[in-house]
Amino acid sequence: MNEGEYLELADQFKEIMNNKDNEIKKQYEEIKELKKILMMAYSFVRILDELIADDFNQPNILCSILEVLRGFLSSAVDKFIFNEDPNEL
């Protein structure tokens, strides 16, 4: 392999690495945005759960659904935001 071929190969490798770096950055930003959405959804559900818990005229099914949703979102926040595994605690 001569010097020209070696430089061409190095340039191709650099281009591939730049493309991969850009893909990783894009995925990182998407993950960050999804984490924000997850945290906001959990916050809204928590607020709703507290408001409904104070109002005893609400149907039990609504309270049950919100409790399940709050638990699910809480687990998701622990796992994906705080990187905690419930099996390790």
Side-chain angles (χ1 to χ4, degrees):
M1 177 180 290
N2 64 27
E3 186 177 337
E5 290 172 333
Y6 179 75
L7 289 174
E8 184 179 332
L9 187 61
D11 287 339
Q12 289 174 359
F13 180 71
K14 182 179 178 185
E15 183 179 338
I16 290 170
M17 291 306 295
N18 285 338
N19 290 340
K20 292 295 179 188
D21 285 344
N22 289 337
E23 286 179 32
I24 290 170
K25 286 177 186 176
K26 182 181 174 188
Q27 288 178 350
Y28 175 78
E29 291 300 319
E30 289 174 358
I31 289 169
K32 194 165 110 177
E33 196 63 30
L34 287 172
K35 285 183 176 185
K36 288 179 187 177
I37 291 168
L38 179 62
M39 290 172 55
M40 286 184 356
Y42 176 66
S43 299
F44 289 139
V45 168
R46 244 186 113 171
I47 290 168
L48 279 175
D49 190 32
E50 292 295 323
L51 290 173
I52 288 178
D54 293 340
D55 186 4
F56 296 105
N57 295 327
Q58 295 299 326
N60 287 338
I61 188 71
L62 182 59
C63 294
S64 298
I65 290 171
L66 274 175
E67 286 175 9
V68 169
L69 183 58
R70 183 177 176 183
F72 175 76
L73 286 173
S74 179
S75 296
V77 167
D78 288 344
K79 182 176 181 180
F80 297 111
I81 306 297
F82 300 120
N83 297 319
E84 294 177 355
D85 186 4
N87 297 328
E88 292 178 3
L89 298 177

